[in-house]
């Protein structure tokens, strides 16, 4: 199953509404990087509100997506991180201090605009 990636101006918006398995996570990574390259997007908001838990592989892929997007010139904001997901990321040593976060998609867009203006 593919995760939809929407384009809004120079931004890409992703709301993950399904449980992520390894194959879906890898497909998402490939799709997002391709979309950044094709669209020239300068920012990405990934909404994780519906993601209740993640395993070590999914956590690593998420961290990699943030790093790879940054290398391609697109700033990432993560929104809606659930407590269990936050704890898993920290427990696995995946620290995202430099990654802006927000409570929801709307706040994420505001945060992304602020990040790109600096």
């Amino acid at each position: 199953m593919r995760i939809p990636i929407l384009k809004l101006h120079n931004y890409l918006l992703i709301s993950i509404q399904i449980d992520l398995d390894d194959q879906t996570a890898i497909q998402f990574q490939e799709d997002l990087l391709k979309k950044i390259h094709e669209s020239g997007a300068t920012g990405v908001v990934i909404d994780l509100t519906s993601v209740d838990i993640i395993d070590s592989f999914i956590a690593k892929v998420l961290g990699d997506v943030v790093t790879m997007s940054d290398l391609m010139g697109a700033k990432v904001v993560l929104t809606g991180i659930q407590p269990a997901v936050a704890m898993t990321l920290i427990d696995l040593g995946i620290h995202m201090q430099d990654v802006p976060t927000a409570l929801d998609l709307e706040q994420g867009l505001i945060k992304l605009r602020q990040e790109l203006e600096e």
Side-chain angles (χ1 to χ4, degrees), residues 12-107:
L12 298 177
L13 307 177
I14 302 104
S15 182
I16 299 176
Q17 300 288 323
I18 58 172
D19 288 330
L20 290 173
D21 58 51
D22 294 358
Q23 183 63 36
T24 303
I26 292 295
Q27 187 66 58
F28 166 64
Q29 183 180 52
E30 293 171 2
D31 289 349
L32 178 57
L33 296 175
K34 182 178 178 188
K35 191 83 166 181
I36 290 169
H37 179 73
E38 290 174 350
S39 68
T42 57
V44 177
V45 177
I46 301 174
D47 182 45
L48 301 170
T49 302
S50 298
V51 178
D52 295 321
I53 57 170
I54 58 173
D55 63 21
S56 59
F57 182 76
I58 303 299
K60 182 188 178 315
V61 170
L62 184 60
D64 290 349
V65 162
V66 171
T67 303
M68 291 175 189
S69 297
D70 191 48
L71 286 170
M72 295 182 70
K75 185 76 174 172
V76 175
V77 173
L78 298 177
T79 65
I81 297 175
Q82 300 299 316
V85 173
M87 288 187 284
T88 300
L89 290 170
I90 297 304
D91 287 346
L92 295 171
I94 300 173
H95 300 284
M96 298 191 182
Q97 303 94 301
D98 299 330
V99 180
T101 59
L103 290 176
D104 58 34
L105 196 54
E106 184 179 359
Q107 292 296 316

